[in-house]
Each structure stands twice: as structure tokens, then as C-alpha cells.
Amino acid sequence: MTEEHGTDEHRPPVRIERDGVVATVVIDRPKALNALSPDVLRAVADAFDALRAEADAVRGVIVVGEGGRAFVAGADIRSLSTLTPEEGAESARLGHRVAAAIEGFPAPVIACVDGFALGGGLELALACDLIYATESSSFGQPEVRLGLIPGFGGTVRLPRAVGLPLAKELIFTGRRIDAATAEAAGLVARRFPDRDALLAGARATIDEVAENAWTAVALAKRVLVEAAGTPTATATDLEVAGFADAFRTEDMREGVAAFIEKREPEFSGH
Ligand code: DAK
């Protein structure tokens, strides 16, 4: 098999690192600025499927790009140039499989952006629950410069994150914005001076989340993800269902009992 352009020799393009309750999915194709070839997309989806199997032990996932220059500089433009329409459809399905795996993962997923998050890279970050970024990062949807439009959900999730007018401006111009602008627009939840601080900040957030009832965090994520963009009545129905499901958990009984008994709760995750 020939080596994919920009792929570092003999290394899988995606790896999972574990540190206590935190799992980190590292996209490791720095020579191509971590561009999303079909192989990379498949590997990201597989990584989330693997983590799903041990979801009981994972309280949060960090997604990060290797190399310090890019989170992900978009879909792999070289791969795109050779795709047949059928392969294009397969690539679209893969992209949506990745987004579904992240949104369906029962714990927060934080995109840690250190460098470029462009095109499919920004769309990958938008599928995550939070975007944290270093000061030197930049964001954009440059697809129209290639004769494309965002195809991994950018037209759907970017307006939800920054509002329709700014989303339109970014998608129509293809321009890049810096981390400070992205934070002011609500796209980036938190900014950090460098990569170490970025990763430490994401871990600290996951540790803080991990002190809470895992079942409740998973239910809250389910409602937030499923309700996004739906009419108010549908969204509130989803919230009612999630609220009712919380009453089915031991954690809810424990959390309420601990408050009444003036003690710290001991959540079991059930
Ligand atoms: N794909 C492939 N290779 C890439 C790449 C990309 N997106 N971005 C960078 N590279 C490669 C470069 O070709 C270069 O490789 P070598 O020439 O060294 O072999 C290496 O990474 C370093 O890049 P540069 O030399 O260009 O580095 P600079 O610092 O000068 O510039 C840059 C960095 C990020 C500004 C520049 O590389 C750039 O503009 N990259 C392209 C960014 C871009 O346009 N991204 C959006 C792609 S469109 C779909 C769904 C979604 C999509 C497609 C289909 N379906 C539903 C089917 C999404 C489309 C997109 O994301």
C-alpha cells in the first residue's frame, strides 16, 4: 500500500491517549496539517467507537491535532481532487458518522485548537461540545475558495455557535478570524496562552465535570444536542424526557439525599 501524502511513516493517523478519566484523541498527520483524508475520518470515528465501549470510565474527551501548527486544516484537498461522486458520498457519510459519534458520546468532548481550524477542521471542532483554543489559533470556512461549500455540518452548526450574520460572512468570504475574535463571537469558549495551558485547562474542566453525577451530565448533553435547532415545543419535550430519565437514576436519589443529609454525594454512575 502506498503511503498517504503527508502521513508520517508507519504511524496511525489517529491515536487515543488515556489519563485517568480523560481520554485524548490525537489527530497525528502534522505534515499535512492534520488534514482529514478518508483514512483519518475513519480513524476518528473508530476512536470514538472504541471509547464508547469504555464510556463508563471516561468522563471527558479531548480532541487535539499533533504538531502545534494546526488542529485540522480542513478536508484533505488532495483526496478531494480524485474523489468520484460515489466516493464523495462515502466521504460525506464518514464526516457525518464522526459528528454523530462525538455528539452521541455520553460525556463532554472538548476540541483543543492549537493553530488552524479550517473547513472540515472547524466543522469537526463544532461537532465537539466546547472549543478551547490557544491565542495563536485561527478559524475559517474557506470552502468557497475551492468551489465547495461546508459539507460536514458547517452551515448548520456555525450559525448556532456565532449567529447567522457572522456565519454567513465567514462562509461567503472564506476569511479567517483569530482566537480573540472567535472567543468574542462565542465560537471559542476559552482562550489559553499556549498548548500546555490549553490541554491543562481542558483537563481541569473535565475533572470538574467528573465530580458531578455522570448520568446527569450524559442526560444534559443528550438534551442539549438533540434540542439544538428544534422548535421550542420539541426542545422542551426533549427536556421533559431527559428530566424524567434523571428520576430513573440512582445518582439523582443520591444527590438529593446527600443534600438533605448535609453530606457529600457519592455518585455511582447508575
Ligand atoms: N489538505 C491537504 N493538504 C494540506 C491541507 C489540506 N486541507 N492544508 C495544508 N496541507 C498541506 C500543504 O499542502 C503542505 O504540504 P506540502 O506541500 O508540504 O507537502 C503542508 O500541509 C503545509 O501547508 P502549507 O505549506 O500550505 O503551510 P502554510 O503555513 O503556508 O499555510 C494554510 C497554511 C492552512 C493557510 C494552508 O495550508 C491552507 O490554506 N490550507 C488549505 C486550507 C483549506 O482550504 N482548508 C479547507 C479545505 S475544504 C465534504 C465535506 C467537507 C469538506 C469536503 C467534502 N463532503 C461532504 C464530501 C470540507 C472541505 C474543506 O475542508
Side-chain angles (χ1 to χ4, degrees), residues 5-6 29-36 69-70 72-80 83 87-93 95-96 116 118-121 123 140-143 145-146 148-153 176:
H5 183 94
R29 210 186 157 211
K31 286 183 191 165
L33 302 185
N34 302 319
L36 299 173
R69 287 198 60 215
V72 165
D76 186 289
I77 297 171
R78 282 187 182 80
S79 308
L80 288 181
L83 289 187
E87 288 165 340
E90 169 64 12
S91 162
R93 275 192 288 273
H96 294 304
F116 298 108
L118 303 176
E123 292 171 300
Q141 298 279 177
E143 285 86 348
R145 297 182 181 191
L146 298 166
L148 289 166
I149 70 165
F152 291 153
R176 296 204 292 260

Side-chain angles (χ1 to χ4, degrees), residues 166-251:
L166 180 57
K168 283 179 175 170
E169 190 179 49
L170 289 172
I171 290 170
F172 295 163
T173 62
R175 78 165 60 122
R176 296 204 292 260
I177 55 172
D178 63 20
T181 308
E183 186 184 46
L187 178 61
V188 165
R190 217 173 270 270
R191 248 185 316 146
F192 298 87
D194 56 42
R195 188 180 182 90
D196 286 346
L198 170 74
L199 294 171
R203 280 193 202 103
T205 295
I206 293 172
D207 286 342
E208 197 179 330
V209 170
E211 289 173 16
N212 300 322
W214 174 68
T215 45
V217 174
L219 282 172
K221 174 167 172 174
R222 187 188 82 191
V223 174
L224 285 160
V225 167
E226 288 182 3
T230 64
T232 305
T234 310
T236 49
D237 281 350
L238 288 164
E239 190 184 69
V240 168
F243 195 75
D245 284 343
F247 281 76
R248 296 181 224 287
T249 67
E250 291 170 15
D251 281 348

